[in-house]
């Protein structure tokens, strides 16, 4: 999966917050320009701030689904927004190269 594809996943995720979607769009707008690295840093930082760990989801949403994920050893929320953001986090070195 390319960086662009990863970022587009964020934009398509209904559960991604507006701040994350804005950082994703700003990154896409900067691809191939002198601003790409700076926008990549901002995108990674926004992912790190917004992607929720299951323990945080439990506290924030009071949901049993997150408890089930945590019991299975899954650390992060599996909603589309968090999944897409986590993929960017997992590929941080690629984005910041």
């Amino acid at each position: 999966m390319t960086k662009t594809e990863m970022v587009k996943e964020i934009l398509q995720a209904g559960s991604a917050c507006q701040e994350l979607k804005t950082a994703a769009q700003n990154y896409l707008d900067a691809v191939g320009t002198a601003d790409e690295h700076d926008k990549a840093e901002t995108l990674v930082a926004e992912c790190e701030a917004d992607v929720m760990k299951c323990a945080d989801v439990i506290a924030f949403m009071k949901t049993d689904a997150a408890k089930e994920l945590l019991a299975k050893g899954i650390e992060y929320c599996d909603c589309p927004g968090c999944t897409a953001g986590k993929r960017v986090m997992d590929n941080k070195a690629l984005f910041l190269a």
Side-chain angles (χ1 to χ4, degrees):
M1 181 175 274
T2 67
K3 293 187 291 186
T4 299
E5 290 169 331
M6 286 184 248
V7 175
K8 285 181 178 178
E9 274 190 333
I10 293 170
L11 294 174
Q12 295 168 353
S15 56
C17 68
Q18 189 57 51
E19 294 85 0
L20 183 54
K21 287 185 176 190
T22 298
Q25 187 62 57
N26 289 344
Y27 171 79
L28 289 177
D29 292 345
V31 169
T33 72
D35 290 334
E36 182 175 355
H37 190 268
D38 288 342
K39 298 302 181 184
E41 286 179 339
T42 301
L43 174 61
V44 169
E46 195 64 42
C47 287
E48 290 172 342
D50 294 340
V51 172
M52 296 183 78
K53 291 189 173 189
C54 286
D56 296 331
V57 173
I58 293 166
F60 181 68
M61 300 182 76
K62 311 277 192 265
T63 176
D64 288 336
K67 290 178 186 177
E68 292 170 16
L69 292 173
L70 196 57
K72 292 178 183 176
I74 298 171
E75 185 177 5
Y76 288 91
C77 173
D78 68 345
C79 77
C82 286
T83 299
K86 176 78 166 65
R87 187 170 289 113
V88 170
M89 290 167 47
D90 290 345
N91 288 280
K92 180 178 181 174
L94 177 65
F95 278 89
L96 301 182

